[in-house]
Amino acid sequence: MNLVEEDPDIVVLGFDTTLTYEKLEKACHYIRNGCVYFGINPDWNCPMEGGKFIPDCGSMAKLIEASTGKFPDFFGKPSKYTLNYIIQETGYQPEEIAIVGDRLYTDIAVADQSDVTSILVLSGESTRKDVEASDVKPDVILEDLSEITKML
């Protein structure tokens, strides 16, 4: 498959810190005209140094959805494709796998409805308040990654 700028068969939306109006216009045009539409990840925000966040792929997808009425099928976390890939590539059974992350709606959600152990670290985006409000619940909540060694 060739990467093209005009008349693509597929539009793939990824995290893009150089996003321009021209890129959005093209993507929306092709999506409206029937292109297959995928997204890399549904993350709303990308954490930056100093506790700041910038819009991530999920936020960009919502912008495109507002214009086209179409939301992409994501193949990054929490897509079923991600967990299936991990199981296939590692050869481990779900009950032998632990997913560690700082986002309920991606990292922890990839393990939801499975036998995979989910470990939420509170050093990133999600908070205890988010856990209380969410349908996705981690198996374990830790303040940060350093606490994992205490569990071993």
Side-chain angles (χ1 to χ4, degrees), residues 70-102:
K70 296 181 180 172
F71 198 68
D73 186 15
F74 289 102
F75 50 86
K77 299 175 290 186
S79 168
K80 64 183 180 292
Y81 306 119
T82 302
L83 184 55
N84 292 341
Y85 178 80
I86 292 168
I87 292 167
Q88 178 183 337
E89 289 298 308
T90 64
Y92 290 110
Q93 296 300 309
E95 60 274 5
E96 299 174 299
I97 297 172
I99 299 288
V100 180
D102 69 339

Short mmCIF file of all heavy atoms in Angstrom, two decimals, residues 70-102:
data_model
loop_
_atom_site.label_atom_id
_atom_site.label_comp_id
_atom_site.label_asym_id
_atom_site.label_seq_id
_atom_site.Cartn_x
_atom_site.Cartn_y
_atom_site.Cartn_z
N LYS A 70 -18.79 11.16 11.50
CA LYS A 70 -18.15 9.84 11.59
C LYS A 70 -17.02 9.86 12.61
O LYS A 70 -16.22 10.79 12.65
CB LYS A 70 -17.62 9.43 10.22
CG LYS A 70 -18.75 9.26 9.22
CD LYS A 70 -18.26 8.82 7.88
CE LYS A 70 -19.47 8.70 6.95
NZ LYS A 70 -19.09 8.46 5.59
N PHE A 71 -16.99 8.80 13.42
CA PHE A 71 -15.95 8.62 14.42
C PHE A 71 -15.14 7.39 14.02
O PHE A 71 -15.73 6.39 13.58
CB PHE A 71 -16.59 8.43 15.81
CG PHE A 71 -15.66 8.67 16.95
CD1 PHE A 71 -15.18 9.94 17.23
CD2 PHE A 71 -15.26 7.62 17.76
CE1 PHE A 71 -14.33 10.16 18.31
CE2 PHE A 71 -14.41 7.83 18.83
CZ PHE A 71 -13.94 9.11 19.11
N PRO A 72 -13.82 7.41 14.15
CA PRO A 72 -13.02 6.30 13.64
C PRO A 72 -13.11 5.05 14.49
O PRO A 72 -13.44 5.09 15.67
CB PRO A 72 -11.59 6.86 13.69
CG PRO A 72 -11.61 7.82 14.82
CD PRO A 72 -12.99 8.45 14.76
N ASP A 73 -12.77 3.94 13.86
CA ASP A 73 -12.52 2.69 14.58
C ASP A 73 -11.06 2.76 14.99
O ASP A 73 -10.18 2.94 14.14
CB ASP A 73 -12.78 1.50 13.65
CG ASP A 73 -12.69 0.17 14.35
OD1 ASP A 73 -12.72 0.13 15.60
OD2 ASP A 73 -12.61 -0.86 13.66
N PHE A 74 -10.79 2.70 16.29
CA PHE A 74 -9.42 2.81 16.79
C PHE A 74 -8.78 1.43 16.87
O PHE A 74 -9.44 0.46 17.22
CB PHE A 74 -9.40 3.45 18.18
CG PHE A 74 -9.72 4.92 18.15
CD1 PHE A 74 -10.96 5.37 18.51
CD2 PHE A 74 -8.76 5.84 17.75
CE1 PHE A 74 -11.27 6.73 18.48
CE2 PHE A 74 -9.06 7.20 17.71
CZ PHE A 74 -10.31 7.64 18.09
N PHE A 75 -7.49 1.37 16.59
CA PHE A 75 -6.81 0.10 16.76
C PHE A 75 -5.76 0.16 17.86
O PHE A 75 -5.10 -0.83 18.14
CB PHE A 75 -6.23 -0.44 15.45
CG PHE A 75 -5.40 0.50 14.64
CD1 PHE A 75 -4.05 0.67 14.88
CD2 PHE A 75 -5.98 1.21 13.60
CE1 PHE A 75 -3.30 1.52 14.10
CE2 PHE A 75 -5.22 2.06 12.82
CZ PHE A 75 -3.88 2.22 13.07
N GLY A 76 -5.63 1.28 18.54
CA GLY A 76 -4.81 1.37 19.74
C GLY A 76 -5.66 1.08 20.96
O GLY A 76 -6.84 0.76 20.85
N LYS A 77 -5.08 1.20 22.15
CA LYS A 77 -5.84 0.97 23.37
C LYS A 77 -7.09 1.85 23.37
O LYS A 77 -6.98 3.00 22.98
CB LYS A 77 -4.99 1.30 24.60
CG LYS A 77 -3.75 0.48 24.74
CD LYS A 77 -2.90 0.95 25.89
CE LYS A 77 -2.29 2.29 25.56
NZ LYS A 77 -1.36 2.84 26.46
N PRO A 78 -8.23 1.40 23.75
CA PRO A 78 -8.58 0.11 24.34
C PRO A 78 -9.15 -0.89 23.35
O PRO A 78 -9.86 -1.81 23.74
CB PRO A 78 -9.64 0.50 25.36
CG PRO A 78 -10.40 1.58 24.68
CD PRO A 78 -9.35 2.35 23.89
N SER A 79 -8.85 -0.74 22.10
CA SER A 79 -9.42 -1.63 21.08
C SER A 79 -9.17 -3.10 21.38
O SER A 79 -8.13 -3.48 21.90
CB SER A 79 -8.80 -1.28 19.72
OG SER A 79 -9.10 -2.27 18.78
N LYS A 80 -10.14 -3.92 21.02
CA LYS A 80 -9.98 -5.37 21.17
C LYS A 80 -8.78 -5.86 20.39
O LYS A 80 -8.17 -6.86 20.73
CB LYS A 80 -11.26 -6.08 20.73
CG LYS A 80 -11.58 -5.92 19.26
CD LYS A 80 -12.89 -6.57 18.88
CE LYS A 80 -13.23 -6.41 17.43
NZ LYS A 80 -13.55 -5.09 16.97
N TYR A 81 -8.42 -5.14 19.33
CA TYR A 81 -7.26 -5.54 18.53
C TYR A 81 -5.99 -5.49 19.37
O TYR A 81 -5.09 -6.31 19.19
CB TYR A 81 -7.09 -4.62 17.31
CG TYR A 81 -8.30 -4.51 16.43
CD1 TYR A 81 -8.92 -3.28 16.23
CD2 TYR A 81 -8.84 -5.63 15.80
CE1 TYR A 81 -10.03 -3.17 15.41
CE2 TYR A 81 -9.96 -5.53 14.98
CZ TYR A 81 -10.54 -4.30 14.79
OH TYR A 81 -11.65 -4.19 13.99
N THR A 82 -5.89 -4.53 20.26
CA THR A 82 -4.70 -4.37 21.08
C THR A 82 -4.51 -5.56 22.01
O THR A 82 -3.43 -6.15 22.06
CB THR A 82 -4.77 -3.07 21.91
OG1 THR A 82 -4.91 -1.97 21.01
CG2 THR A 82 -3.53 -2.88 22.75
N LEU A 83 -5.55 -5.93 22.75
CA LEU A 83 -5.43 -7.04 23.68
C LEU A 83 -5.20 -8.35 22.92
O LEU A 83 -4.35 -9.15 23.32
CB LEU A 83 -6.67 -7.15 24.57
CG LEU A 83 -6.62 -8.23 25.64
CD1 LEU A 83 -5.38 -8.10 26.54
CD2 LEU A 83 -7.88 -8.20 26.48
N ASN A 84 -5.90 -8.55 21.83
CA ASN A 84 -5.69 -9.76 21.03
C ASN A 84 -4.26 -9.84 20.53
O ASN A 84 -3.64 -10.91 20.52
CB ASN A 84 -6.67 -9.83 19.85
CG ASN A 84 -8.09 -10.04 20.31
OD1 ASN A 84 -8.35 -10.48 21.42
ND2 ASN A 84 -9.03 -9.70 19.45
N TYR A 85 -3.70 -8.71 20.13
CA TYR A 85 -2.32 -8.66 19.64
C TYR A 85 -1.35 -9.02 20.77
O TYR A 85 -0.41 -9.79 20.56
CB TYR A 85 -2.02 -7.27 19.08
CG TYR A 85 -0.60 -7.12 18.60
CD1 TYR A 85 -0.22 -7.61 17.35
CD2 TYR A 85 0.36 -6.48 19.37
CE1 TYR A 85 1.09 -7.48 16.91
CE2 TYR A 85 1.66 -6.35 18.94
CZ TYR A 85 2.02 -6.84 17.70
OH TYR A 85 3.32 -6.71 17.27
N ILE A 86 -1.57 -8.46 21.96
CA ILE A 86 -0.69 -8.74 23.10
C ILE A 86 -0.70 -10.24 23.41
O ILE A 86 0.35 -10.86 23.60
CB ILE A 86 -1.12 -7.92 24.34
CG1 ILE A 86 -0.85 -6.44 24.11
CG2 ILE A 86 -0.40 -8.42 25.60
CD1 ILE A 86 -1.48 -5.52 25.14
N ILE A 87 -1.88 -10.83 23.44
CA ILE A 87 -2.01 -12.26 23.74
C ILE A 87 -1.32 -13.08 22.65
O ILE A 87 -0.55 -14.01 22.94
CB ILE A 87 -3.49 -12.65 23.89
CG1 ILE A 87 -4.07 -11.99 25.15
CG2 ILE A 87 -3.66 -14.16 23.93
CD1 ILE A 87 -5.58 -12.04 25.24
N GLN A 88 -1.57 -12.74 21.41
CA GLN A 88 -0.98 -13.48 20.29
C GLN A 88 0.55 -13.37 20.29
O GLN A 88 1.25 -14.37 20.12
CB GLN A 88 -1.53 -12.95 18.97
CG GLN A 88 -0.94 -13.61 17.75
CD GLN A 88 -1.48 -12.98 16.46
OE1 GLN A 88 -2.54 -12.40 16.45
NE2 GLN A 88 -0.72 -13.12 15.40
N GLU A 89 1.07 -12.17 20.48
CA GLU A 89 2.51 -11.96 20.39
C GLU A 89 3.29 -12.51 21.58
O GLU A 89 4.43 -12.93 21.44
CB GLU A 89 2.83 -10.47 20.22
CG GLU A 89 2.45 -9.93 18.87
CD GLU A 89 3.21 -10.61 17.72
OE1 GLU A 89 4.46 -10.68 17.78
OE2 GLU A 89 2.55 -11.10 16.78
N THR A 90 2.68 -12.50 22.77
CA THR A 90 3.39 -12.97 23.96
C THR A 90 3.19 -14.45 24.21
O THR A 90 4.03 -15.10 24.83
CB THR A 90 2.93 -12.23 25.22
OG1 THR A 90 1.55 -12.52 25.48
CG2 THR A 90 3.16 -10.72 25.10
N GLY A 91 2.06 -14.98 23.76
CA GLY A 91 1.75 -16.37 24.04
C GLY A 91 1.19 -16.59 25.43
O GLY A 91 0.91 -17.71 25.84
N TYR A 92 1.03 -15.50 26.20
CA TYR A 92 0.48 -15.61 27.54
C TYR A 92 -1.04 -15.65 27.50
O TYR A 92 -1.67 -15.11 26.60
CB TYR A 92 0.91 -14.42 28.40
CG TYR A 92 2.38 -14.44 28.76
CD1 TYR A 92 3.26 -13.51 28.22
CD2 TYR A 92 2.88 -15.39 29.64
CE1 TYR A 92 4.60 -13.53 28.54
CE2 TYR A 92 4.23 -15.41 29.97
CZ TYR A 92 5.08 -14.48 29.41
OH TYR A 92 6.41 -14.50 29.73
N GLN A 93 -1.61 -16.26 28.50
CA GLN A 93 -3.05 -16.27 28.67
C GLN A 93 -3.46 -14.96 29.36
O GLN A 93 -2.66 -14.36 30.08
CB GLN A 93 -3.48 -17.47 29.52
CG GLN A 93 -3.19 -18.81 28.88
CD GLN A 93 -3.91 -18.94 27.55
OE1 GLN A 93 -5.10 -18.74 27.44
NE2 GLN A 93 -3.15 -19.29 26.50
N PRO A 94 -4.71 -14.52 29.16
CA PRO A 94 -5.14 -13.25 29.77
C PRO A 94 -4.87 -13.17 31.28
O PRO A 94 -4.44 -12.12 31.78
CB PRO A 94 -6.63 -13.21 29.46
CG PRO A 94 -6.75 -13.96 28.18
CD PRO A 94 -5.74 -15.08 28.29
N GLU A 95 -5.08 -14.25 32.01
CA GLU A 95 -4.87 -14.21 33.45
C GLU A 95 -3.40 -14.10 33.85
O GLU A 95 -3.07 -13.87 35.01
CB GLU A 95 -5.53 -15.42 34.14
CG GLU A 95 -5.00 -16.76 33.69
CD GLU A 95 -5.69 -17.32 32.44
OE1 GLU A 95 -6.53 -16.62 31.83
OE2 GLU A 95 -5.39 -18.47 32.09
N GLU A 96 -2.49 -14.20 32.89
CA GLU A 96 -1.05 -14.07 33.14
C GLU A 96 -0.53 -12.67 32.78
O GLU A 96 0.66 -12.40 32.90
CB GLU A 96 -0.27 -15.10 32.30
CG GLU A 96 -0.61 -16.53 32.62
CD GLU A 96 0.08 -17.50 31.67
OE1 GLU A 96 -0.18 -17.43 30.44
OE2 GLU A 96 0.87 -18.32 32.16
N ILE A 97 -1.42 -11.79 32.33
CA ILE A 97 -1.04 -10.47 31.83
C ILE A 97 -1.56 -9.38 32.77
O ILE A 97 -2.67 -9.47 33.29
CB ILE A 97 -1.62 -10.24 30.42
CG1 ILE A 97 -1.03 -11.28 29.45
CG2 ILE A 97 -1.35 -8.82 29.94
CD1 ILE A 97 -1.68 -11.27 28.08
N ALA A 98 -0.72 -8.35 32.96
CA ALA A 98 -1.14 -7.16 33.70
C ALA A 98 -0.91 -5.94 32.81
O ALA A 98 0.14 -5.81 32.18
CB ALA A 98 -0.37 -7.00 35.00
N ILE A 99 -1.91 -5.09 32.74
CA ILE A 99 -1.81 -3.83 31.99
C ILE A 99 -1.65 -2.72 33.02
O ILE A 99 -2.44 -2.60 33.95
CB ILE A 99 -3.09 -3.57 31.17
CG1 ILE A 99 -3.34 -4.67 30.13
CG2 ILE A 99 -3.05 -2.19 30.52
CD1 ILE A 99 -2.41 -4.68 28.95
N VAL A 100 -0.61 -1.91 32.84
CA VAL A 100 -0.33 -0.79 33.74
C VAL A 100 -0.51 0.50 32.95
O VAL A 100 0.01 0.63 31.84
CB VAL A 100 1.11 -0.85 34.29
CG1 VAL A 100 1.38 0.32 35.22
CG2 VAL A 100 1.36 -2.18 34.98
N GLY A 101 -1.26 1.44 33.50
CA GLY A 101 -1.43 2.71 32.80
C GLY A 101 -2.02 3.79 33.67
O GLY A 101 -2.42 3.54 34.80
N ASP A 102 -2.07 5.01 33.10
CA ASP A 102 -2.56 6.16 33.86
C ASP A 102 -3.88 6.70 33.33
O ASP A 102 -4.34 7.74 33.78
CB ASP A 102 -1.51 7.27 33.87
CG ASP A 102 -1.32 7.93 32.51
OD1 ASP A 102 -1.67 7.30 31.48
OD2 ASP A 102 -0.81 9.07 32.47
#
